[in-house]
Amino acid sequence: QVQLVESGGEVVQPGGSLRLSCAASGFSVSDHVMFWYRQAPEKERELVATITAAGETTNIPESVSGRFAVSRDDSQNTVYLQMNSLKPEDTAVYYCFAWDRGTEYWSRGTQVTVSS
């Protein structure tokens, strides 16, 4: 059974950093494209970053370019989202996502709040 379990969300001051983790079970993250999404209050869920099976990474919104970085530890079967220079507009619930054999898998989400 595939599961994605997130951790790392918390309240942080503007300019601070957080690292989110997404631990997978039931499949190997190294064999899949892994996605990070976020959803701010009253906004649509948006794609934030991806990492391919080959390890190629992409940040999607211009607003996170240079501040967010996605990485992967195959030995831990875990994907990370390092978030630096956080801004209040980064406040959202963050999710990891993957496809496996035609089925979507979402984590439960972790709340990141950027506030002074």
Side-chain angles (χ1 to χ4, degrees):
Q1 181 179 1
V2 174
Q3 282 191 311
L4 301 173
V5 179
E6 270 191 284
S7 60
E10 61 182 74
V11 179
V12 63
Q13 291 189 344
S17 296
L18 281 177
R19 188 178 77 160
L20 305 183
S21 301
C22 175
S25 59
F27 76 105
S28 297
V29 296
S30 59
D31 293 335
H32 294 75
V33 181
M34 300 296 296
F35 302 81
W36 284 99
Y37 282 82
R38 67 183 180 185
Q39 187 165 19
E42 301 182 354
K43 291 190 177 181
E44 292 188 358
R45 193 169 295 187
E46 69 169 344
L47 180 61
V48 174
T50 66
I51 183 166
T52 69
E56 297 168 332
T57 63
T58 304
N59 288 345
I60 305 300
E62 182 65 28
S63 61
V64 307
S65 181
R67 299 190 298 121
F68 289 14
V70 58
S71 62
R72 191 178 75 205
D73 184 338
D74 294 345
S75 68
Q76 299 295 318
N77 208 29
T78 298
V79 177
Y80 302 97
L81 183 66
Q82 178 68 44
M83 304 185 294
N84 300 323
S85 302
L86 283 161
K87 305 175 180 180
E89 51 264 40
D90 295 318
T91 294
V93 179
Y94 285 73
Y95 302 87
C96 60
F97 168 83
W99 289 88
D100 182 55
R101 288 172 285 186
T103 301
E104 295 184 1
Y105 294 97
W106 289 93
S107 66
R108 293 181 65 178
T110 188
Q111 177 69 48
V112 172
T113 301
V114 185
S115 175
S116 56

